[in-house]
Every structure is written in structure tokens, then in C-alpha cells.
């Protein structure tokens, strides 16, 4: 007997070795793990033909024994108490067998002890509103229904001081003479910890660990696994996406270490607002220090936030979802697990984090996501907007090969982002986010991505030398990476986007050059001459430039300095791709409309726009609003050292697709490319003066499109408007 005296569903799955408890009573009990005895139940009696009430203690609380996961033999435990609380009290640890799992779901969940599932999964969910309520909403109040407001009594997950959650792999010592040799399974990969709640408090003194395991083999060889993933999602009710505003207090020590050559952990955080660097007095802001991205051994970070209204009562301004404060310097690195050398000869094993040299450690990847939030039942207010802002003088850098991305409804870049031979991706919304009732009041394209003067985006190549006991210059030379920007783009003069290659010199053995003569080791090697295998000659090496891809949704203004030079004479320059869509107020346009204007030189952003900002229309020299489309000066390509240029091809993934991309050359334009030159993938080119295009390979227009039968409808891509006379040259 489990002693259930409330309406409940009990599930046993012998095939998967799973034990589940799901409460369904209108007044579920508070569930606690422990060994204390439950109140006894009196004999069944009837009072006036009605069963006598059960003891209040049995209705208000229920105790689960932690031995279910040990003596009970269950490897997976699921407890769902949607209307009640769940507590793992201090001194009552929960431990599964390797690859086991524990899932606790309730109105509130609190862990005061240790929960451990080596290489397995730990999951905790706390609902501000039960799924049953969410399923009925807004059926009970269809007219004027608004997202409900949490009352603060539920939706909370708490990890208390001294408590821990761990899915790290096992440390196994199978050396000869080890007392525990071959007694434990080898569990190298770390598992996953997932916390999903409206609000969460991870107290100082607590810890979450998804690090890899370690196996020391028979002869002392050390093998590591990959680390797991920590997911902490707050700020939004798990059952009702429109209920936002919860907080995250992050005091826990988070660990996701792996060994050299293996993949470090992934840390996925989500809350209302995130600020990196500086200080704040706002409790709803998750404040992270500048060294946050060099802690815990993680190699992948995902930081998501929703944002907040600037003030209560009909917001017209918003607090950014994610902010990198002015002057903050972030150097993202990942430490790896290392075996303490002194322990190799002893029974005990000790492993600790160590920061290896760049080139011997995995690069860190960082993704910033700002989604915003809108209650579908309010049409006159946009509850929050997903803005990302990096302040002036801020700097974010990762190792060679790292990836950094910013995806928000709006993105404002004022600092530096550096990822040598990696990728920097900036994505804003395709149209500026406004409340549904205000959509028709927007009559022009508004910026959603602003790259300010003084900002730097760089994936330029670099040379990384690795340690060498003999002082030789050995390592790797990296080419330029990729910079991708999409949305309604404004890139100001003074901003720099750099994907150049580089050059470096290495010390190599003469035999690797192919002209060293006989490979036979001289007889006097190491006697009257230096060791043959340590002989070196200097070798210079150059790396190629990378790719800059600017994809405007409804507008593109770029006066930024674009650089894609080759690292030297033996390398090639980079690739520059420019595309923009066009804003159409009546949403009708033809496949021949111009969406990119190309001039030879000059600024595309008139001086009337002294300080471009997201949401602010671009004005011409006379103060009139400029037409939303792309504007580009060819000299940005010529001065940047690129080899190849693509004007007017919209890319999906790595492949261009043949629509849009119609060009208008204004004034005389001359473009000479050392590599490839692609122009007007949409098929229409206009010019009011002489145009000279020179390259080793030139592609004009779009690929041939087979005629359609008159009875077949046009693809949804094409929209027809009344015919008009234009000077259009179509190339196919």
C-alpha cells in the first residue's frame, strides 16, 4: 500500500522501470520526500450514510520514500502535483542509478538536499497557473479576456543553500591495484538538468553540475566524455506563454566541464531581462558579471529574455531585454578538466578545471535571443519588445572558430564583437514590431538593426601558436570567418565589419617542403650538428578572406567600412553579398521593382540622420522620409579588398534564390572584381548612366524560368500591379 487517500493516478511501467505519481484532486496534498510515518487511518465508517472524513493530515500532506530509487529498484521517478507543492527536504538525498531520471512538477517545487542522476536527467517544473486553468482560458471570459496576473503564491522553484543538482558522469578508476577497479559502469557523458518555472531562486551555496565523467584505464590512460546541458527558463509561465514577468535569482555555482578535445556543457538561460556588466537596482533584471562566460567550462551559451515596458500604463518605450553595458569587456573562454599529476600513482583521483592555451581548448559559442511578448487579447498595446543593446566601448571576444549571434526584434550594436575565423550573426525583425492596432499607422520601413559609429564586428583571421617544448613556432593559421546581418539595417559611417585573412610564420621541418634532398638522417645528427628531427626553416603562410552578407528585409543603408582582404599574395580576398527587399505601403509590387540602388561613392545615410536609432525613419537631405529599399556605394566593395561581389541575391541557407534583387545604377558606376561578380538575381537592371562591370566570372539576371500555362496560377511570390512604362532591361 502506498497510502494514497486522495484522488490520484498511479502508473507503473515495468518496461521502462518507471514509477509515476500524478495528483488529480481539487485540493492536492503537499508532497514531501522522507521516511516519516503517515497518520494512521481509522476504520471505514458511515455517518448518516456518508463516509466519515479522513484525517486532515492525510488530506493535506503525503510522504514519498527516497528508497523508491534504491531499494525500490525504480530508475525513473515522475511526480506531478499541479495544484500542490513538492519538497525535497534537507538530509533526504535523491539518487538514481546511472542514466536514471527524476521529474518533479508542481505549483511550487523546493529542493533543500541533493538530487543526483549520473548521466541522466533531472527536471523541475513550477506552474503559476495550472495546465487545467490554462486549457479553459479564455473560455470563461471571452469578451475582453486578458492574461491573468500571478498572485505570487505559486510558480516558484527554489534551490536552497547547500543543495545540489548533479547529472555529471562517473569517475571510474580501473588501474591495477585500485580498490574500485571494474566495479562501476563507465559513464563518461554528463546528463541534463532542466528547470522551468515562472520564477526561480537558485541560492548562493547551491550548485548544479552536468560535467563529463572520467575513466582511468588499466594502464592509466585517461578518457573524458562530453558535458551535458543546464536549462533554466523563467520569466514566463510554463503553461501560459502570455503570462510574463517572473524573475531569476542566480546564485548557484554552475558547472559543465569536459576534458580536452571534448565538448563542454551548454547553459541555456531565459528570464525577463538580462544585463551583463555594470550594476542595477531592478530586481527583475538578471545581472551577470563580465567574467560569466569564462566560468564553469561551458562552450555553448544561450541567453534569452523578453524585455519589459518602460513604464506602466500604455508603454511607448521599452526596457531592453538584453543589455551589454557600456565599457564591459567580455573574454569568453572555457576551462577543461585536468587530472592532478600527483594522484596518478595513488588510489585517489582528483580532477580540477584548468585553462589551456587557445588552440588546445574548444571555442565558446554565445547566442543572445530577445523575443518580446504580446498578449493576443490586447490589440492596442505591445506588452514587451525584444530589444538587444550593446553599449559603447563594450567588447565581446571568443577564441578562433567561435560563434556569436544576436537575434532580437531590434538590435543596437555600439561595441565590439570579435570571433576570429568564426561567425558573427545579427538578426532583427523583418518589420518593426508595433501593437496590432498601430500596424496601419506605420507608413514606411523602420530600422530594426542599427550598427553604430565606432562599433566593430570582426571575424578576421588570426594565427594561434601552440606550446612547443623546443620553442618552435607551431600552430594554426585561421582564415576570415562570416558576418551575417539581416533585418531593416542601418550601418553608420565609422562602423567596421572585417572578415580579412591574415599571415603568419611557422617553423617547419625541411622535409615537409618537398625539396630537402635525402630524408636519411645524417650520421652526425646530435653529435657535431643539431638533431635532424629538430631542424626547422621558417615558412610564411597566408589565409583567405571571409564573407560579409548584408540582407535587408525592407531597407538597407550601409556606410560602414567593409573589409575582406586576403592575408597575403598566396590567398584570396573575401566575398561581399548585398541584398535588400523593398517596403510597399499597399503591399503590391511587381517582380521588376527596384529594391537596391547602387552608386559609385558617397554616403547612403544623409546628414539629417545624425544618430540613427531603431524605430526612427530615415530622412533624406530635405527632411522627407526615404523610400524603404537598399542603398549601396560600390566603392565600399572596391576599398575593402574583396575578390567577389554579389549584388541582389537573397540567400536561403548557403544558396541564392532567384527573386528580388533588382538593381538601379545611379550615375556612372564601375566595378572591377578579381573573382566573381553576380548582379540582379531578380532579373531587372536599370541605369541612368554608363555602367562598367569587370570580373573573371560575371552572372547577370536570373536563371531561365520556364513559361507557365495560362491556366496555372502565379506563384505566391509574385504580386501584380497595373502596368507602367519603365526603362527596364531584363536578363535571363
Amino acid at each position: 500500500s502506498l497510502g494514497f487517500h486522495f484522488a490520484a493516478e498511479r502508473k507503473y511501467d515495468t518496461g521502462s522501470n518507471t514509477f509515476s505519481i500524478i495528483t488529480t484532486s481539487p485540493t492536492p496534498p503537499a508532497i514531501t520526500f522522507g521516511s516519516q510515518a503517515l497518520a494512521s487511518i481509522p476504520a471505514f465508517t458511515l455517518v448518516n450514510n456518508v463516509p466519515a472524513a479522513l484525517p486532515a493530515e492525510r488530506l493535506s500532506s503525503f510522504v514519498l520514500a527516497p528508497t523508491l530509487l534504491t531499494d525500490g529498484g525504480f530508475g525513473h521517478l515522475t511526480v506531478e502535483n499541479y495544484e500542490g507543492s513538492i519538497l525535497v527536504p534537507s538530509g533526504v538525498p535523491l539518487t538514481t542509478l546511472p542514466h536514471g531520471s527524476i521529474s518533479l512538477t508542481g505549483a511550487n517545487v523546493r529542493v533543500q538536499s541533493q538530487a543526483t542522476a549520473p548521466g541522466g536527467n533531472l527536471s523541475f517544473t513550477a506552474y503559476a497557473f495550472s495546465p487545467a486553468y490554462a486549457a479553459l482560458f479564455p473560455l470563461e471570459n471571452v469578451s475582453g479576456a486578458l492574461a491573468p496576473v500571478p498572485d505570487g503564491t505559486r510558480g516558484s522553484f527554489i534551490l536552497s543553500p547547500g543543495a545540489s543538482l548533479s547529472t555529471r558522469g562517473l569517475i571510474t578508476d580501473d588501474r591495477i591495484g585500485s580498490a574500485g577497479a571494474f566495479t562501476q559502469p563507465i559513464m563518461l557523458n554528463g546528463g541534463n538538468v532542466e528547470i522551468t518555472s515562472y520564477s526561480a531562486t537558485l541560492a548562493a551555496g547551491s550548485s548544479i553540475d552536468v560535467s563529463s565523467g572520467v575513466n582511468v584505464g588499466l594502464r592509466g590512460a585517461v578518457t573524458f566524455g562530453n558535458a551535458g546541458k543546464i536549462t533554466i527558463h523563467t520569466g514566463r509561465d510554463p503553461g501560459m506563454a502570455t503570462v510574463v514577468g517572473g524573475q531569476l535569482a542566480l546564485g548557484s555555482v554552475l558547472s559543465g566541464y569536459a576534458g580536452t578535445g571534448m565538448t563542454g556543457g551548454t547553459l541555456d538561460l531565459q528570464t525577463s531581462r538580462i544585463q551583463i556588466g555594470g550594476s542595477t537596482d531592478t530586481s527583475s533584471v538578471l545581472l551577470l558579471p563580465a567574467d560569466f562566460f569564462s566560468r564553469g567550462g561551458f562552450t555553448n551559451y544561450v541567453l534569452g529574455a523578453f524585455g519589459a515596458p518602460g513604464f506602466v500604463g500604455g508603454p511607448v518605450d521599452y526596457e531592453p531585454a538584453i543589455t551589454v553595458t557600456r565599457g564591459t569587456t567580455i573574454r569568453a573562454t572555457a576551462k577543461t578538466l585536468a587530472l592532478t599529476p600527483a594522484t596518478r600513482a595513488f588510489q585517489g583521483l582528483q580532477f580540477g578545471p584548468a585553462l589551456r592555451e587557445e588552440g588546445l581548448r574548444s571555442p565558446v559559442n554565445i547566442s543572445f535571443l530577445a523575443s518580446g511578448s504580446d498578449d493576443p487579447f490586447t490589440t492596442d498595446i505591445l506588452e514587451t519588445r525584444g530589444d538587444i543593446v550593446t553599449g559603447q566601448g563594450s567588447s565581446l571576444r571568443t577564441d578562433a572558430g567561435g560563434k556569436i549571434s544576436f537575434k532580437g526584434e531590434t538590435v543596437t550594436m555600439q561595441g565590439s564583437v570579435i570571433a576570429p575565423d568564426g561567425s558573427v550573426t545579427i538578426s532583427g525583425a523583418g518589420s518593426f514590431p508595433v501593437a496590432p492596432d498601430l500596424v496601419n499607422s506605420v507608413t514606411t520601413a523602420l530600422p530594426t538593426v542599427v550598427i553604430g559609429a565606432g562599433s566593430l564586428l570582426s571575424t578576421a583571421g588570426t594565427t594561434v601558436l601552440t606550446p612547443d617544448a623546443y620553442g618552435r613556432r607551431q600552430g594554426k593559421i585561421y582564415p576570415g570567418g562570416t558576418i551575417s546581418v539581416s533585418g531593416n539595417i542601418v550601418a553608420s559611417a565609422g562602423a567596421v565589419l572585417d572578415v580579412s585573412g591574415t599571415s603568419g610564420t611557422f617553423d617547419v621541418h625541411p622535409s615537409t617542403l618537398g625539396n630537402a634532398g635525402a630524408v636519411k638522417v645524417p650520421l652526425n645528427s646530435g653529435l657535431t650538428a643539431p638533431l635532424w628531427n629538430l631542424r626547422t626553416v621558417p615558412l610564411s603562410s597566408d589565409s583567405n578572406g571571409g564573407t560579409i552578407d548584408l540582407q535587408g528585409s525592407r531597407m538597407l543603408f550601409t556606410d560602414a567600412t567593409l573589409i575582406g582582404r586576403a592575408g597575403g599574395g598566396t590567398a584570396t580576398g573575401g566575398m561581399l553579398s548585398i541584398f535588400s527587399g523593398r517596403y510597399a505601403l499597399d503591399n503590391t509590387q511587381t517582380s521588376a521593382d527596384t529594391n537596391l540602388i547602387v552608386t559609385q561613392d558617397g554616403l547612403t545615410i544623409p546628414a539629417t540622420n545624425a544618430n540613427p536609432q531603431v524605430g526612427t525613419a530615415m530622412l533624406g537631405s530635405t527632411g522627407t522620409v526615404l523610400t524603404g529599399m537598399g542603398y549601396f556605394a560600390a566603392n565600399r566593395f572596391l576599398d575593402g579588398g574583396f575578390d567577389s561581389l554579389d549584388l541582389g541575391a537573397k540567400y536561403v541557407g548557403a544558396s541564392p534564390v532567384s527573386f528580388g534583387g533588382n538593381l538601379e545604377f545611379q550615375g556612372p558606376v564601375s566595378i572591377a572584381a578579381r573573382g566573381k561578380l553576380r548582379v540582379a538575381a531578380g532579373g531587372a537592371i536599370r541605369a541612368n548612366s554608363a555602367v562598367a562591370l569587370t570580373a573573371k566570372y560575371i552572372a547577370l539576371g536570373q536563371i531561365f524560368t520556364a513559361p507557365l500555362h495560362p491556366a496555372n496560377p502565379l506563384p505566391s511570390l509574385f504580386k501584380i500591379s497595373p502596368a507602367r512604362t519603365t526603362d527596364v532591361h531584363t536578363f535571363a
Side-chain angles (χ1 to χ4, degrees), residues 38-67:
L38 298 172
S40 61
I41 302 174
F44 177 81
T45 59
L46 293 174
V47 179
N48 296 327
N49 292 325
V50 176
L54 296 172
E57 181 181 348
R58 296 303 296 266
L59 294 174
S60 62
S61 64
F62 182 74
V63 179
L64 276 176
T67 53

Side-chain angles (χ1 to χ4, degrees), residues 644-721:
S644 300
L645 175 64
D646 194 330
L647 290 175
K650 183 174 178 60
Y651 280 77
V652 177
S655 303
V657 292
S658 298
F659 67 90
N662 298 319
L663 269 64
E664 180 178 331
F665 292 99
Q666 292 187 353
V669 176
S670 177
I671 302 176
R674 291 181 292 271
K676 300 177 181 179
L677 178 59
R678 179 182 175 90
V679 178
I685 301 176
R686 296 176 173 84
N688 59 13
S689 187
V691 176
L693 305 177
T694 306
K696 292 182 178 179
Y697 173 84
I698 299 178
L700 296 179
Q702 61 176 268
I703 60 175
F704 176 75
T705 302
L708 294 174
H709 190 278
N712 294 336
L714 288 172
S716 59
L717 173 66
F718 295 92
K719 299 175 182 178
I720 304 301
S721 62

Side-chain angles (χ1 to χ4, degrees), residues 153-317:
T153 62
R154 48 182 298 158
S156 173
F157 173 82
I158 298 176
L159 187 64
S160 299
S164 66
L165 309 176
S166 175
T167 60
R168 71 172 301 160
L170 296 176
I171 298 178
T172 52
D173 184 0
D174 294 333
R175 293 176 295 175
I176 296 176
S178 173
F182 304 105
T183 61
Q184 295 188 77
I186 296 176
M187 180 66 61
L188 294 180
N189 292 333
N192 303 312
V193 174
E194 182 174 1
I195 299 169
T196 307
S197 60
Y198 180 69
S199 291
T201 299
L202 310 179
S206 64
S207 65
I208 304 177
D209 193 354
V210 295
S211 299
S212 82
V214 187
N215 173 251
V216 182
L218 185 66
R219 301 183 182 276
V222 179
T223 304
F224 296 93
N226 297 319
K229 181 178 182 180
I230 297 175
T231 301
I232 305 173
H233 282 191
T234 67
R236 169 177 282 169
D237 182 54
M240 299 190 71
T242 57
V243 177
V244 296
Q247 302 175 12
L248 171 59
L250 187 58
S252 294
V253 175
L254 309 179
S255 301
Y257 296 102
T260 300
M262 307 305 293
T263 302
T266 295
L267 179 56
D268 184 349
L269 301 179
Q270 174 185 282
T271 189
S272 297
R273 293 178 59 199
I274 296 175
Q275 177 180 317
I276 304 169
S279 60
T280 181
D281 295 327
T282 306
S283 60
S284 62
V285 175
L286 174 61
L287 180 62
L288 302 177
D291 65 349
F292 179 78
F293 300 97
S294 58
R295 299 177 177 180
F298 298 96
T299 56
N300 292 281
Y301 292 85
V302 180
L303 271 62
F306 308 114
F311 53 87
V312 179
V316 295
D317 194 11

Side-chain angles (χ1 to χ4, degrees), residues 8 72 112 117 177 187 191 199 226 283 347 378 388 487 517 531 546 587 591 622 656-657 672 706 732:
Q112 297 176 327
M187 180 66 61
S199 291
N226 297 319
S283 60
Q347 296 300 320
T378 61
I388 300 176
L531 283 172
N587 205 30
S591 59
T622 61
V657 292

Side-chain angles (χ1 to χ4, degrees), residues 463-551:
T463 299
V464 177
L465 298 179
T466 54
D468 182 74
Y470 301 99
R472 294 171 295 185
R473 293 172 294 183
Q474 297 189 340
K476 183 177 179 180
I477 185 170
Y478 293 87
T482 301
I483 296 176
S484 301
V485 185
S486 62
N488 290 347
I489 304 169
V490 176
S492 301
V496 176
L497 283 66
D498 189 357
V499 294
S500 298
T502 190
S503 61
T505 301
F506 302 92
D507 296 324
V508 302
H509 195 273
S511 62
T512 64
L513 302 180
N515 59 356
V519 181
K520 182 178 179 180
V521 178
L523 295 178
N524 63 342
S525 172
L527 297 175
T528 59
L531 283 172
W532 168 253
N533 64 349
L534 294 182
R535 285 189 57 187
T536 62
V537 294
L539 175 66
S540 296
S541 182
D542 306 323
S543 65
N544 299 330
T547 299
I548 295 179
D549 183 18
L550 304 181
Q551 300 270 324

